[in-house]
Amino acid sequence: MQYIIDQLADSIRAAAGHKVPLCIRSGGSKDFYGNRIVGQADVLDPTAYAGIVDYEPTELVVTARAGTHLADLEAELNKHGQMLAFEPPHFGAAATLGGSVAVGLSGPRRASAGAARDFVLGVRMLDGRGDDLRFGGQVMKNVAGYDVSRLMTGSMGTLGLLLEVSLKVLPLPAMEITLRMPMKESDAIHRMNLWAGKPLSISATCFYDDELTLRLSGAEPAVRAAHAKLGGEEIDDGADFWKSVREQTHPFFQSGKTLWRLSIKSTALPLPLPGKQLIEWGGALRWWASDAGMDAEALHIMAKAASGHATLFRGQEVDATVFHPLAPGMMRIHRRLKEKFDPMGILNPGRMYPQS
Amino acid sequence: MNPVINSSELVAKLRTFLPSEAVLHETEDLRPYECDGLSAYRQAPMIVALPQTEDEVAEIIRICHAAKTPVVARGAGTGLSGGALPHAEGVLLSLAKLKRILEMDPAARTARVQPGVRNLAISEAAAPYGLYYAPDPSSQIACSIGGNVAENSGGVHCLKYGLTVHNILKLRVVTIDAEILEIGGESLDSPGYDLLALMTGSEGMLGIVTEVTVKLTPRPEKAQVVMAAFDDIRKAGDAVANVIGAGIIPAGMEMMDKITTRAVEEYVHAGYNLDAAAILLCESDGAAEEVAEEIQRIDEIMNMSGATETRTSRDEAERLRFWAGRKAAFPAAGRISPDYYCMDGTIPRKSLASVLSGIEALSAEYGLRCMNVFHAGDGNLHPLILYDANRPGELKMTEEFGAKILQMCIQAGGTITGEHGVGIEKINEMCSQFKTGELEIFHAVKAAFDPDGLLNPGKAVPTLRRCAEHGAMHVHQGKEKFAELPRF
Ligand SMILES: Cc1cc2nc3c(=O)[nH]c(=O)nc-3n(C[C@H](O)[C@H](O)[C@H](O)COP(=O)(O)OP(=O)(O)OC[C@H]3O[C@@H](n4cnc5c(N)ncnc54)[C@H](O)[C@@H]3O)c2cc1C
């Protein structure tokens, strides 16, 4: 397998030497996400570097190569009664571990279990000079050196090419049920926050079309007790429903040309947007699908007023930058980090911000 | 670094906006700040500054930046790696007076606090709402949340509830340019790179934390603990793996070896089994029904794994008593030995038995006793080496012993520090854990925030030159002559 790394490193060095931008692309399942890369880029495909390197269920840690298909990794964990608790969205069968960590997105369990970055323990990567580096490790607690592995998570391939990732895994819950109850938006936001402040085993929430759907996970007695307290109708196709939310196959996500993702304070009041919204993460994630279009700046202002940020998740043909603009001081640090990790500026340039 | 300003000029500048009692420079006033929890290292700073507001912090930084004067942040000074060890030509910036809880938001389950607020004070303030701040380092009555952020501190409950990095949402940070950055946010993620993670555990090297927004967790309805005794440390290690293998994530899972058990029993009278080679404490928390079921399963697994005795806490008082010993391990070490040195390696749990027998062998070799307490759930080992600083040479031997333990942790695929940080203490071991390219990236991260290297210089990340010299020293100590010749 080392020869694959050598080839990838050679490609990076050559690109750095000629200042040719590289577009890091594995399965391509997240091509739609992020800004267009600046310049004529060559594609760098690391999917050949695949497979699980080390997995010991009782250590609660798995290490896999970045090209590993997410589905294969999850199937292996499932065999041992474990899971990636952040429920990464796949957005297609081609999704790889590397791509998923690079975008850093998390699914319905995020509000209760944590995000991708919370489960990343270590990475092996090539930086913009083609150097093979390791940060973090395969243990749960590690404060030796700065936390570069979490910095890499969600950095959209702009700081380096992920080769291997070590993740904390968790046991599958003994039981999961999905409840549904009719409710108005403002009530739902209030209740989701109220319930999140109590030990009720809620592992996912979704409000849409005047219905609140909840998932309870845990030991059977805890789930039963929580159901008794919360009320609501148990639905049969719960697993499919959560998958449709995670994978955005739920009809809501197709109901407009653009899809905005507003990640805000969970208690923020209903957002005054026309058309439909779908709310997840106990109120902290609001999706807005629209045909109407609304200028990005207005959404940035609205998200900021709700202590959060807005992302143009799908529909990038719209002429707007995808990610919420950063404060000048933060942008300066971003630029400096980019310059240090990728001195020639060849790794996915512009995918995140114009100069990073 | 050439200071462009002398001490009295700097004192005068600081006193233009700070009351005189907030700028210390007399030798006797500086003494309390000479060291943190790692008292073997001592150094008086040039000046101690005690600001009360973020504006004052920013102004101090602005002046120090202009004067090219090093700044070392200090919270409560309980750090165990010398992270807050002062710089002889620098300002020690104490955040202890920024200790206000600024806002509790029970609906959103967050608290916004100043950096000098004590860890436990947050949970106390949240208690009326049925909430608490989950990371609970043993030092929680004293340590500050700013220090917790700087060290990414953990506690006995972090396998289930996470470390500091998992429980903070937002920071306000004063950069070395005296600019204020808001890092993270009240939402569950933020645009751009994860600078919140980068700041967490950065040991005061990247910026001064002036405000922390933490996540609060609902207090579980019930908690109960199983105490299990084993006649063999290997069996205790297997029991830990078996609990996790059964799909249980205990709220806490801690191990103590025999010498520790004996030392703490004398101190807290928890009723530990004194003949056991290892004691395991395994806690379950959650809804009452859930705890009842889980505790029963844990008890079965302990017995199946060869426990010689198991006991389940019958009430809250007994639960706290079972834990008291574990939490008192450090003071107990202080009672049975004039000095002790606490190590902090993390290992994959499966190598526990081999690392512990390695430690036993080293203990015999050096003639120094060693107590082992272990955050068993997450592989974080705290060997406490007992020594007497008044005996010539014993500290040096202790440090050598400790360094060898850390080497074993690295060899086992672990790390030299799980939660106490590198500070000044483990700076040489960083050279063993990381390659040149990796250290270069660390220096690059530092330079992105602090190009002149004024924040906590000399800590956390060794210079490449230091590593080259350290490498040479190792060979020398190993009496490896003719190092240039090939070995077979
Ligand atoms: C008896 C005892 C038990 C302990 N148990 C545990 C434990 O269970 N788990 C654990 O993780 N640790 C433990 N520790 C270690 C220590 O308590 C933690 O590292 C703690 O987080 C340090 O907090 P502090 O406020 O004392 O920080 P300090 O010691 O004052 O400083 C620590 C580091 O943080 C930096 N710093 C402090 N404040 C700021 C700020 N506002 N901005 C930027 N940098 C800052 C300093 O420069 C220094 O590098 C223990 C220590 C003792 C003495």
Side-chain angles (χ1 to χ4, degrees), chain B residues 73 75-80 83 137-139 144 147-148 150-151 153-154 203-204 207 209 419:
Chain B
T78 68
L80 291 173
S138 308
S139 52
S144 74
N148 290 174
E151 302 288 10
S153 301
E203 304 193 19
V209 175
E419 58 184 10

Side-chain angles (χ1 to χ4, degrees), chain A residues 140-187:
Chain A
M140 304 273 175
K141 284 166 92 176
N142 187 354
V143 288
Y146 304 115
D147 197 344
V148 175
S149 11
R150 288 200 169 89
L151 178 69
M152 290 299 295
T153 311
S155 66
M156 304 285 298
T158 60
L159 296 178
L161 172 71
L162 290 169
L163 292 172
E164 291 170 18
V165 183
S166 297
L167 294 161
K168 178 178 176 181
V169 297
L170 285 181
L172 289 164
M175 183 182 190
E176 285 198 322
I177 63 170
T178 297
L179 309 176
R180 186 162 288 157
M181 45 192 94
M183 210 175 279
K184 287 270 160 272
E185 183 182 1
S186 54
D187 281 349

Side-chain angles (χ1 to χ4, degrees), chain A residues 141, chain B residues 35-38 71-85 92-96 114-119 136-140 142-156 163-164 172-173 199 202-212 326-327 330-331 340 342 344 375 380 382 418-421 423 456 459:
Chain A
K141 284 166 92 176
Chain B
C35 68
D36 60 8
L38 182 69
V71 178
V72 178
R74 177 183 169 107
T78 68
L80 291 173
S81 56
L85 181 76
L92 185 81
L93 179 62
S94 166
L95 283 309
Q114 291 189 317
V117 170
R118 290 173 308 115
N119 172 297
D136 57 342
S138 308
S139 52
Q140 69 179 155
C143 64
S144 74
I145 188 72
N148 290 174
V149 171
E151 302 288 10
N152 192 17
S153 301
V156 297
L163 304 158
T164 304
R172 278 174 73 89
V173 172
M199 281 302 300
S202 67
E203 304 193 19
M205 302 279 290
L206 305 182
I208 307 297
V209 175
T210 51
E211 195 179 295
V212 188
R326 167 61 189 87
K327 294 222 170 187
F330 289 23
Y340 66 89
C342 173
D344 172 45
H375 300 302
N380 190 194
H382 290 316
E419 58 184 10
H420 294 168
N456 217 359
K459 309 283 178 61

Side-chain angles (χ1 to χ4, degrees), chain A residues 56 58-59 110 117-118 132 134 141-143 146 158 168 193 197 261 263 265 309 332 334 336, chain B residues 105 109 159 165-166 179 186 188-189 193-194 218 346 349-350 380 415 417 419 435 438 442 448:
Chain A
E56 261 173 271
T58 61
E59 298 281 336
R110 193 286 168 236
R117 55 90 84 173
D118 293 315
D132 182 353
R134 287 172 195 264
K141 284 166 92 176
N142 187 354
V143 288
Y146 304 115
T158 60
K168 178 178 176 181
N193 278 286
R261 175 187 189 274
S263 174
K265 187 169 178 170
H309 63 104
R332 198 171 324 125
H334 275 65
R336 287 191 198 148
Chain B
D105 187 342
R109 293 135 357 252
L159 177 65
V165 71
H166 304 109
E179 187 177 6
E186 286 164 280
L188 290 177
D189 47 36
Y193 299 146
D194 195 339
T346 304
R349 250 182 296 97
K350 64 186 170 203
N380 190 194
T415 176
T417 173
E419 58 184 10
K435 295 181 302 200
E438 293 151 355
F442 291 149

